[in-house]
């Protein structure tokens, strides 16, 4: 495997530590301003404050004689409200990011007038905003934001990400009620919310749409699923999950909108932070740097601010897998059973590197106009090497001398005398780039607050080293045996053994090298304009604000793929240097009781030198642009373009209902989408000659999305929320593609053998494929939400119920198609292939309950916990069959106990989710239902304050050394066992 490119200097490539060591409680509570408001009539004082600080005021039932205290100095507007109303008969509630509702407390009888108090000295300067560093303080802050929101929401702040171990934002979010994550090679990758998989989550950055990286390691594509693995958590201020829709919210998330937040230049005081540390992967024994530097500068007058940071983190991971590569129907002794197509062992090595840089700037040009700019760049490089043994099975179980043991109609053990073993190695260097930038303004025009914003986002995923699959096969006389035993319960198979000498390359045939070059480019440009006007609400249902706006977005996806067979240069002998190493001895010790020993492995450097792509490229590491596309390449590639126009009206209300204070919003959003898809398909002309036919499609849809949210304050500590909405999720970009992708093994087999492979398929050849459907319509959901929230001293409890009814649900439908294939001989051939394509043939329902709880004791002990129960399924309207939804667990929960005392803090995190069907099929396709087994992960982190500005941090992840498992449909059809092992980290943080 190639090493990653040289790192940036440690002093430059560091992680964005402001989230961990210096971020304020929340951006809206840390927007500092210089204020000078004298003591005066309450109405006049509050209006003056909101004009100066750009907040929204609803004053219910003001009456003469109510006065406020003076506030002078540099502070946030929320701090000013608290100081201004301290000791008065006025009560207040913050609503949303910039709203405050004030009302006069009703007293049964006025108390006797107290004697005149000596005048209080008015402060000329306030203490700076306190940085919340304690885990418990960050939980309290999240509860405050949840309670003050005008929707059903949850979130994590920067310090909560830092205080509980998390490799990325997905792993931090899994502790939030309603959230479950999917891991890839031991690390969080995709996020599911409220019973819906990652496709149904709308992900934004500071409220703007983002582009999506694509899976490029195999044929399975993720489409609109945001790959959190590509984004470092260090540079973030946090994330906010909005679970009930509003008209101004970017559409597309039936499950939730996940808004990733960064920090602004005027979100707090100047600072400089440095973090230096390292991570150790237990199985590889390699240390990886994890370092950071970040800071903020603010002008003396507090009107201009710049914040910036850079980051680098590296990890080297070893992941071993025991796999069954698909099942096929086979007749044994007159009975049809499900038999493994092959059995394989894989040792995967990943060298990961995340690098990030962020820049934010704010400028208040005048009391009525301010500008802001933010830019985020993040790269995720992943050099992967997979060494694999493939033990061919399938029809060999029918040969003389073979034996099999069948349980519940599935072959779970067997032995063959005339089998083959394929020794193969795959190399690839994945590079995922994310760029996002936006510029916006806040303009006060009379009573209107106008906020235009222009944003751009680019996500590029490319194989810097294309997928290189080196394969050499033994003769067909190898005896071997396997026994799954009780792997479905113990997560350990009983046996995989052979007498074949796995370390002797002379027993293997000539090596073949297949090269796949892939590049995916996704981009989004969005312009938004929002205009909001606060109003004075009066009585039940009184309007408190009106807001209108529009959005125009231009999104494009360009996916290019090239597949080639490389050829050996003249004069190179595979016996001299092609196989120069062996796998480690200790792999599979937790996955197999009896396992094969180490085996010889291919050397990447030798194959890079010895092979070329004949007539096209001098070497084996091309980009797609270096190779002229063949007909099959064009059939595998596609382009999708979307033009989105949306407009909305939102009305905010505040008043009373049944004597209880209420607030909320209602409105409607109109969305119009135009889609253009380009692709190709192979065919033959009237003379039987191969031709490439364009396969394009233009479509459109328009939809109205009404929504309403209402919050009722049952008392000062309890809140009841109700919400109803109509939302959409557009089809996956991969589903919209005009592409036809037969199984790669089928394409290679027919290319080599032509019609003979169709007439007499070799064992292991599968006539299947996947494709898109450009005519798909969006998913359309009607949503009902109910939430009860209770805040009590040092804790909070929330219970929420939800129900979603989704029309036009997209299901995969299998149907035979006659496809044309290229052959080495030149003549095109046609074969019938069972193709899987998406169709709008389903209706889905998801119903669930989520629970959130946190409490801390005076002793320093505390608990933060969440749980989600979900029932979800889809019904095929054409057949009546019910199917499970991808990415949905019936139950997911997280327990996070912690202890804080003096300079010491310890946090544990246990996250568990039940089985779920995954679309991230690590088999690379061809599996009807890839189900990930229940799994739990235990992480820990301890911090020690070693001075007023320094902190020592020790962390550990996957302390239970969990073994991953997957099956096809049910436990009787085991597909995979995998293990990544434990990892540890040590670091120092400084705040200067």
């Amino acid at each position: 495997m190639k090493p990653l490119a040289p790192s940036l200097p440690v002093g430059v490539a560091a992680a964005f530590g402001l989230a961990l060591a210096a971020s304020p409680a929340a951006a809206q509570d840390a927007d500092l301003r210089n204020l000078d408001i004298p003591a005066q009539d309450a109405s006049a004082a509050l209006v003056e404050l909101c004009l100066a600080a750009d907040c929204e005021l609803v004053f219910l039932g003001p009456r003469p004689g109510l006065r406020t205290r003076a506030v002078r100095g540099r502070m946030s507007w929320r701090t000013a409200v608290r100081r201004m109303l301290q000791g008065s008969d006025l009560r207040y509630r913050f609503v949303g990011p910039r709203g405050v509702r004030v009302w006069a407390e009703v007293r049964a009888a006025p108390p006797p007038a107290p004697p005149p108090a000596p005048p209080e000295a008015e402060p000329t300067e306030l203490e700076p905003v306190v940085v919340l560093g304690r885990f418990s303080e960050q939980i309290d802050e999240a509860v405050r934001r949840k309670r003050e929101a005008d929707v059903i929401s949850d979130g994590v702040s920067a310090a909560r990400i830092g205080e509980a171990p998390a490799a990325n934002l997905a792993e931090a979010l899994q502790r939030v009620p309603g959230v479950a994550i999917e891991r890839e090679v031991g690390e969080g990758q995709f996020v599911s919310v409220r019973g819906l998989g990652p496709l149904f989550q709308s992900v934004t950055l500071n409220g703007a749409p983002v582009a999506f990286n694509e899976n490029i390691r195999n044929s399975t594509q993720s489409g609109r699923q945001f790959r959190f693995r590509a984004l470092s958590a260090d540079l973030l201020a946090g994330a906010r999950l909005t679970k009930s829709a509003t008209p101004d919210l970017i559409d597309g998330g039936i499950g939730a909108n996940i808004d990733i937040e960064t920090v602004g230049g005027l979100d707090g005081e100047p600072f400089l932070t440095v973090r230096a540390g390292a991570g150790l992967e237990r199985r590889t024994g390699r240390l990886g740097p994890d370092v950071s530097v970040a800071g903020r500068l603010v002008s003396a007058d507090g009107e201009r601010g710049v914040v910036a940071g850079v980051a680098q983190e590296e990890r080297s991971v070893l992941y071993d897998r025991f796999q069954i590569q698909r099942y096929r129907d086979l007749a044994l002794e007159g009975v049809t059973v499900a038999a493994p197509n092959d059995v394989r062992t894989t040792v995967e090595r990943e060298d990961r590197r995340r690098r990030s840089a962020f820049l934010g700037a704010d400028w208040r040009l005048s009391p009525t106009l301010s500008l802001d700019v933010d830019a985020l760049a993040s790269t995720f490089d992943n050099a992967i090497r997979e060494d694999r043994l493939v033990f061919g099975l399938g029809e060999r179980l029918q040969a003389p001398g073979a034996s099999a043991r069948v349980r519940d109609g599935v072959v779970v053990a067997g032995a063959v005398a005339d089998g083959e073993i394929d020794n193969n190695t795959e190399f690839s260097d994945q590079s995922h780039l994310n760029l996002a930038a936006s510029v916006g303004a806040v303009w006060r025009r009379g009573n209107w607050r106008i906020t235009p914003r222009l944003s751009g986002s680019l996500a590029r995923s490319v194989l810097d080293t294309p997928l290189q699959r080196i394969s050499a096969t033994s003769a067909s006389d190898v005896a071997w045996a396997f026994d799954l035993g009780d792997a479905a319960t113990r997560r350990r198979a009983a046996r995989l053994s052979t007498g074949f000498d796995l370390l002797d390359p002379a027993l293997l045939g000539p090596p073949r090298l297949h090269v796949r070059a892939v590049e995916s480019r996704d981009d989004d440009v969005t312009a938004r304009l929002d205009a909001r006007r606060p109003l004075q609400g009066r009585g039940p249902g009184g309007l408190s604000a009106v807001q209108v706006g529009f959005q125009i977005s231009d999104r494009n996806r360009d996916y290019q793929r090239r597949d080639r067979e490389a050829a050996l240069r003249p004069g190179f002998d595979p016996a001299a240097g092609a196989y120069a190493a062996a796998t480690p001895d200790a792999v599979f010790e937790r996955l197999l009781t009896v396992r094969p020993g180490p085996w010889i492995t291919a050397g990447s450097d030798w194959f890079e030198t010895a092979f070329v792509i004949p007539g096209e490229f001098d070497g084996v590491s091309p980009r797609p642009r270096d190779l002229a596309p063949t007909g099959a390449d064009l059939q595998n590639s596609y382009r999708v373009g979307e033009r989105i126009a949306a407009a909305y009206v939102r009305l905010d209300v505040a008043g009373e209902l049944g004597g209880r204070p209420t607030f909320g919003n209602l409105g409607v959003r109109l969305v119009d989408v135009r889609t253009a898809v380009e692709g190709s398909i192979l065919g033959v002309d009237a003379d039987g000659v191969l031709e490439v036919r364009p396969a394009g499609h233009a479509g459109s849809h328009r939809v109205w999305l009404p929504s309403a949210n209402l919050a009722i304050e049952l008392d000062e500590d309890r809140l009841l929320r109700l919400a109803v909405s109509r939302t959409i999720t557009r089809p996956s970009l991969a589903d919209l593609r005009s592409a036809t992708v037969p199984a790669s093994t089928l394409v290679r087999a027919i290319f080599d053998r032509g019609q003979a492979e169709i007439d007499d398929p070799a064992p292991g050849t599968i006539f299947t494929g996947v494709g898109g459907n450009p005519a798909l319509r969006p998913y359309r959901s009607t949503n009902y939400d109910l939430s009860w929230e209770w805040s009590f001293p040092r804790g909070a409890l929330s219970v929420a119920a939800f129900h979603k009814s989704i029309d036009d649900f997209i299901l995969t439908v299998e149907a035979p198609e006659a496809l044309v294939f290229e052959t080495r001989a030149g003549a095109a051939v046609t074969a019938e292939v069972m193709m899987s394509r998406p169709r709008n043939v389903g209706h889905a329902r998801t119903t669930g309950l989520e629970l959130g709880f946190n409490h801390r004791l005076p002793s320093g002990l505390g608990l933060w916990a969440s749980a989600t129960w979900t029932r979800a399924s889809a019904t095929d309207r054409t057949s009546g069959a019910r199917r499970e939804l991808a990415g949905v667990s019936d139950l997911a929960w997280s327990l996070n106990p912690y202890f804080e005392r003096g300079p010491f803090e310890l946090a544990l995190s246990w996250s568990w989710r039940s089985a779920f069907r995954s679309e991230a099929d690590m088999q690379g396709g061809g599996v009807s239902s890839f189900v990930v087994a229940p799994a739990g992960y235990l992480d820990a982190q301890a911090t020690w304050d070693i001075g007023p500005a320094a902190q020592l941090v020790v962390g550990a992840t996957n302390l239970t050394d969990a073994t991953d498992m997957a099956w096809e449909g049910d436990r009787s059809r085991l597909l995979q066992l995998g293990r990544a092992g434990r990892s540890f980290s040590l670091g120092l943080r400084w705040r200067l």
Side-chain angles (χ1 to χ4, degrees):
M1 179 171 53
K2 291 182 177 180
L4 291 169
S7 302
L8 294 174
V10 170
V12 176
F16 194 70
L18 65 129
L20 302 176
S23 67
Q28 71 265 23
D29 200 23
D31 187 3
L32 305 184
R33 295 172 183 264
N34 294 317
L35 300 174
D36 186 359
I37 302 175
Q40 58 183 300
D41 176 77
S43 294
L46 290 166
V47 169
E48 183 178 348
L49 170 63
C50 282
L51 286 175
D54 193 23
C55 60
E56 297 178 4
L57 169 67
V58 175
F59 199 164
L60 299 176
R63 63 174 185 256
L66 295 174
R67 295 181 62 81
T68 60
R69 301 177 64 187
V71 290
R72 290 194 177 97
R74 183 169 171 80
M75 69 192 79
S76 72
W77 71 273
R78 290 174 180 253
T79 300
V81 170
R82 298 183 187 106
R83 295 292 185 109
M84 185 178 286
L85 302 184
Q86 183 178 0
S88 72
D89 288 341
L90 293 172
R91 297 294 176 262
Y92 61 92
R93 176 78 67 199
F94 296 117
V95 179
R98 307 211 65 83
V100 60
R101 185 162 55 85
V102 181
W103 69 96
E105 184 177 40
V106 178
R107 297 181 180 272
E120 182 178 338
E122 294 180 351
T124 58
E125 185 174 351
L126 294 178
E127 295 179 358
V129 174
V130 177
V131 173
L132 299 182
R134 285 292 191 186
F135 192 44
S136 60
E137 293 171 332
Q138 292 299 314
I139 295 174
D140 292 343
E141 174 62 19
V143 171
R144 181 186 70 78
R145 293 188 68 185
K146 176 184 178 75
R147 183 173 179 81
E148 294 170 1
D150 53 5
V151 293
I152 299 174
S153 67
D154 275 292
V156 291
S157 64
R160 286 173 80 189
I161 298 173
E163 296 301 327
N168 55 42
L169 183 58
E171 295 187 14
L173 288 172
Q174 71 180 324
R175 303 175 180 100
V176 171
V179 174
I181 70 168
E182 183 172 348
R183 295 174 182 260
E184 184 176 310
V185 192
E187 187 175 44
Q189 174 74 295
F190 297 115
V191 171
S192 299
V193 181
R194 288 191 155 191
L196 292 171
L199 171 65
F200 296 91
Q201 320 312 323
S202 169
V203 179
T204 55
L205 178 67
N206 294 326
V210 294
F212 300 104
N213 291 110
E214 186 53 270
N215 174 42
I216 53 176
R217 68 176 296 165
N218 57 37
S219 299
T220 304
Q221 294 191 38
S222 52
R224 295 184 200 272
Q225 302 177 34
F226 189 81
R227 304 176 72 83
F228 284 88
R229 198 177 176 207
L231 186 63
S232 173
D234 286 349
L235 48 75
L236 306 176
R240 176 66 30 188
L241 277 77
T242 302
K243 302 175 182 178
S244 61
T246 59
D248 55 306
L249 195 67
I250 294 291
D251 57 84
I254 292 178
N257 172 263
I258 304 174
D259 187 38
I260 303 170
E261 302 170 334
T262 58
V263 179
L266 293 177
D267 283 352
E269 298 289 353
F271 71 90
L272 175 65
T273 62
V274 178
R275 178 167 57 86
L280 171 67
E281 295 293 332
R282 177 66 180 84
R283 300 193 63 199
T284 63
R286 290 184 58 180
L287 285 171
D290 187 1
V291 289
S292 71
V293 63
R296 178 190 288 121
L297 295 175
V298 179
S299 64
D301 60 5
E303 301 301 319
R304 296 177 302 279
V306 177
V307 61
V310 289
Q312 180 160 312
E313 173 197 8
E314 295 183 15
R315 292 289 185 272
S316 182
V317 179
L318 185 67
Y319 189 82
D320 44 9
R321 289 198 297 266
F322 171 75
Q323 293 174 279
I324 303 295
Q325 188 73 357
R326 310 181 186 94
Y327 287 83
R328 61 190 304 183
D329 290 339
L330 197 68
L332 294 180
E333 298 180 354
V335 179
T336 300
V337 299
N341 198 58
D342 61 54
V343 179
R344 54 184 61 190
T345 54
T346 303
V347 179
E348 179 174 342
R349 174 74 168 264
E350 292 193 5
D351 289 337
R352 305 169 183 165
R353 180 176 62 201
R354 267 182 288 264
R355 291 183 290 186
S356 307
F358 174 73
L359 174 67
D362 294 274
W363 184 15
R364 294 194 191 105
L365 283 81
S366 70
T368 61
L369 180 63
S370 61
L371 300 177
D372 68 90
V373 177
D374 61 74
L376 170 66
S378 181
T379 65
F380 176 63
D381 301 320
N382 196 12
I384 302 175
R385 175 183 178 127
E386 294 181 84
D387 294 301
R388 182 179 297 111
L389 290 180
V390 180
F391 296 77
L393 195 59
E395 294 175 349
R396 291 180 175 85
L397 286 171
Q398 297 172 322
S403 62
R405 186 171 78 249
V406 178
R407 183 171 61 214
D408 297 327
V410 180
V411 175
V412 296
V416 297
D418 58 350
E420 288 181 349
I421 296 178
D422 183 72
N423 179 313
N424 68 65
T425 297
E426 290 186 7
F427 306 99
S428 66
D429 287 347
Q430 299 181 27
S431 176
H432 298 282
L433 169 68
N434 291 86
L435 297 175
S438 70
V439 56
V442 177
W443 179 35
R444 299 289 307 209
R445 179 68 174 174
N447 291 327
W448 286 91
R449 183 176 190 265
I450 302 171
T451 53
R453 179 163 296 276
L454 178 66
S455 65
S457 177
L458 168 69
R460 191 194 68 177
S461 298
V462 63
L463 291 173
D464 287 336
T465 298
L467 181 65
Q468 300 173 356
R469 182 179 292 115
I470 301 165
S471 175
T473 306
S474 71
S476 299
D477 58 357
V478 176
W480 66 274
F482 81 102
D483 186 350
L484 300 183
D486 53 358
T489 54
R490 293 186 56 208
R491 305 199 180 200
R492 188 175 189 179
R495 171 182 295 272
L496 178 62
S497 59
T498 181
F500 184 76
D501 187 352
L502 300 174
L503 292 172
D504 186 357
L507 299 180
L508 300 175
R512 299 179 60 180
L513 174 58
H514 176 79
V515 177
R516 176 180 297 167
V518 178
E519 182 168 1
S520 174
R521 180 186 175 97
D522 202 71
D523 61 72
D524 179 279
V525 176
T526 294
R528 291 189 63 178
L529 179 67
D530 302 277
R532 183 176 177 86
R533 176 173 178 165
L535 305 171
Q536 283 292 335
R538 291 288 188 273
L543 290 179
S544 61
V546 60
Q547 182 173 332
V548 296
F550 70 85
Q551 167 201 345
I552 298 175
S553 294
D554 187 345
R555 172 179 290 277
N556 294 278
R557 159 69 62 87
D558 186 354
Y559 179 89
Q560 298 295 317
R561 171 174 156 179
R562 308 286 186 264
D563 289 271
R564 297 292 187 272
E565 288 289 341
L568 191 65
R569 296 179 189 267
F572 279 83
D573 181 5
Y579 297 89
T583 58
D585 292 336
V587 293
F588 309 113
E589 59 184 354
R590 290 279 302 275
L591 307 183
L592 284 164
T593 302
V594 178
R595 60 188 186 274
W599 66 87
I600 199 74
T601 60
S604 61
D605 292 340
W606 188 90
F607 281 88
E608 280 275 357
T609 305
F611 278 79
V612 296
I613 299 176
E616 291 188 273
F617 192 81
D618 186 21
V620 290
S621 295
R623 294 284 183 91
R625 62 176 177 268
D626 298 323
L627 305 174
T630 65
D633 293 334
L634 293 173
Q635 189 169 250
N636 289 332
S637 305
Y638 64 92
R639 292 183 177 91
V640 177
E642 286 182 339
R643 309 294 183 269
I644 302 170
Y648 72 89
V649 176
R650 166 177 164 159
L651 303 176
D652 286 12
V653 296
E656 293 184 351
L657 183 64
R660 303 290 184 185
T662 63
F663 60 91
N665 58 77
L666 71 159
V668 64
R669 183 181 185 90
L670 173 62
V671 182
D672 183 271
V673 179
R674 307 297 173 92
T675 304
V677 182
E678 299 177 9
S680 304
I681 190 167
L682 293 181
V684 292
D685 61 17
D687 298 324
V689 178
L690 181 72
E691 66 176 2
V692 180
R693 300 169 180 169
H697 179 84
S700 64
H701 68 265
R702 179 175 295 174
V703 60
W704 293 88
L705 304 175
S707 64
N709 292 269
L710 179 66
I712 306 171
E713 296 186 13
L714 304 178
D715 55 35
E716 288 191 0
D717 300 321
R718 295 171 178 85
L719 194 67
L720 180 67
R721 298 182 188 267
L722 304 95
V724 60
S725 63
R726 184 78 165 160
T727 54
I728 63 169
T729 288
R730 282 179 281 279
S732 165
L733 294 169
D735 285 347
L736 282 172
R737 60 183 167 167
S738 185
T740 300
V741 188
S744 56
T745 54
L746 175 64
V747 174
R748 288 197 298 271
I750 293 180
F751 183 79
D752 287 338
R753 299 183 62 215
Q755 188 65 41
E757 182 66 23
I758 300 172
D759 297 336
D760 183 21
T765 300
I766 53 173
F767 285 74
T768 62
V770 297
N773 178 5
L776 290 173
R777 300 181 300 276
Y779 304 83
R780 304 172 187 238
S781 178
T782 303
N783 315 297
Y784 304 93
D785 298 276
L786 176 68
S787 175
W788 178 81
E789 302 166 11
W790 176 30
S791 300
F792 50 87
R794 298 192 304 275
L797 172 67
S798 65
V799 181
F802 56 89
H803 175 76
K804 301 177 186 294
S805 178
I806 309 174
D807 297 316
D808 281 336
F809 200 87
I810 298 171
L811 297 173
T812 300
V813 177
E814 292 185 341
E817 297 181 19
L819 300 185
V820 176
F821 292 83
E822 296 173 300
T823 66
R824 191 182 298 277
V829 297
T830 302
E832 185 176 274
V833 177
M834 187 62 68
M835 290 293 297
S836 299
R837 294 188 186 272
R839 299 280 190 271
N840 290 105
V841 297
H843 176 79
R845 293 178 183 271
T846 175
T847 302
L849 189 69
E850 63 185 35
L851 174 70
F853 173 80
N854 75 83
H855 185 55
R856 71 179 184 276
L857 302 173
S859 62
L861 287 171
L863 176 66
W864 174 30
S866 67
T868 307
W869 169 86
T870 308
R871 281 289 181 268
S873 65
T875 302
D876 188 330
R877 295 195 305 264
T878 60
S879 65
R882 295 186 63 186
R883 305 191 194 181
E884 294 180 348
L885 301 189
V888 179
S889 292
D890 289 343
L891 182 63
W893 50 273
S894 175
L895 292 177
N896 304 273
Y898 59 90
F899 175 74
E900 302 170 342
R901 176 166 294 180
F904 179 73
E905 182 175 345
L906 172 66
L908 301 177
S909 176
W910 170 258
S911 298
W912 183 92
R913 68 180 298 185
S914 60
F916 65 95
R917 187 170 68 85
S918 172
E919 291 182 337
D921 176 4
M922 293 303 293
Q923 309 286 76
V927 175
S928 62
S929 179
F930 189 91
V931 179
V932 178
Y937 294 85
L938 177 63
D939 306 327
Q941 184 160 295
T943 61
W944 184 272
D945 295 334
I946 54 179
Q951 191 177 63
L952 177 68
V953 185
V954 180
T957 60
N958 192 20
L959 284 171
T960 53
D961 199 2
T963 297
D964 303 325
M965 182 169 69
W967 58 73
E968 183 177 17
D970 61 63
R971 285 178 178 267
S972 66
R973 297 189 178 206
L974 179 72
L975 284 177
Q976 179 173 295
L977 300 172
R979 174 176 172 245
R982 303 178 179 93
S983 62
F984 305 91
S985 63
L986 175 67
L988 284 171
R989 303 172 185 162
W990 293 273
R991 182 170 186 264
L992 307 177

